[in-house]
């Protein structure tokens, strides 16, 4: 998951945190998120779990998948109606996808507000 | 995920199913399940996703983790208050865990019914 905490140097090394605390902290981040962006090129139970929870919370979700030969993204992710999946190449490609996703969400939000 | 469909020889090879269909079929299995048992020794986005959905559905969940050196189960799974995690050794150990889990659930259900 991309959070504003990524790259933050003063973050506690989470291997020393009890799992329940890791879980609650990550769930709080999810609940407070306007949208969710996940990098899904590597199989991960934790990322999959957070995606499942985020879908049930109704969060807008973008999954970024790096082009790879002979590897298929899980059908549970690419087939989820609650998830937009985009294949990208390189950091610039990922940034463009995220930018487009945010712009589309903003536009939709403005349209909803106008119609109120 | 352990489903009654595992080992069924006439199951369609799901690589030929569209992802949306795989997703809907698996979600239907989840919704109709009395409880969920997942083997979580291998990282998997799909299994993680189903677990996240199942937690939000309030299903009783058992995760079985095979003892492995130098590998830790994701904190999102072992730290989830909606999931019971058990470490097991061998098929017999897994069967015993599942048996115990079902027995405990049955007992709890009977107690709930009695108190009604």
């Amino acid at each position: 998951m991309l959070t504003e905490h990524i790259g933050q140097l003063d973050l506690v090394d989470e291997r020393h945190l009890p799992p329940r605390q890791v879980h609650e902290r990550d769930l709080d981040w999810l609940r407070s998120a306007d949208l969710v962006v996940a990098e899904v090129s590597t199989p991960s139970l934790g990322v999959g779990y957070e995606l499942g929870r985020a879908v049930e919370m109704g969060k807008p979700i973008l999954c970024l998948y790096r082009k790879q030969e002979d590897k298929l993204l899980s059908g549970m992710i690419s087939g989820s109606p609650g998830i937009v999946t985009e294949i990208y190449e390189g950091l610039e490609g990922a940034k463009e996808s995220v930018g487009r996703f945010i712009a589309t969400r903003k536009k939709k939000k403005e349209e909803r507000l106008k119609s109120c």
Side-chain angles (χ1 to χ4, degrees), chain A residues 4 6-7 28 39-40 42 45 52 62 64 72 77-78 86-87 94-95 100-102 106-108 114-115:
Chain A
E4 57 190 312
I6 282 183
D28 280 344
E39 212 290 340
V40 293
T42 308
L45 283 159
L62 170 66
L64 294 173
L72 265 182
I77 305 301
S78 60
E86 286 206 8
I87 293 168
K95 280 185 188 169
R100 263 198 312 276
F101 188 68
I102 293 175
K106 260 193 182 161
K107 212 175 148 191
K108 279 188 186 165
K114 258 188 213 164
S115 69

Side-chain angles (χ1 to χ4, degrees), chain A residues 35-74:
Chain A
L35 49 84
V36 174
V37 176
E39 212 290 340
V40 293
S41 308
T42 308
S44 158
L45 283 159
V47 171
Y49 175 89
E50 291 196 41
L51 288 171
R53 301 283 312 244
V55 165
E56 294 271 352
M57 288 178 198
K59 300 283 177 187
I61 306 171
L62 170 66
C63 279
L64 294 173
Y65 187 65
R66 209 174 48 241
K67 242 187 180 168
Q68 292 167 91
E69 263 175 55
D70 301 326
K71 263 185 85 178
L72 265 182
L73 178 59
S74 162

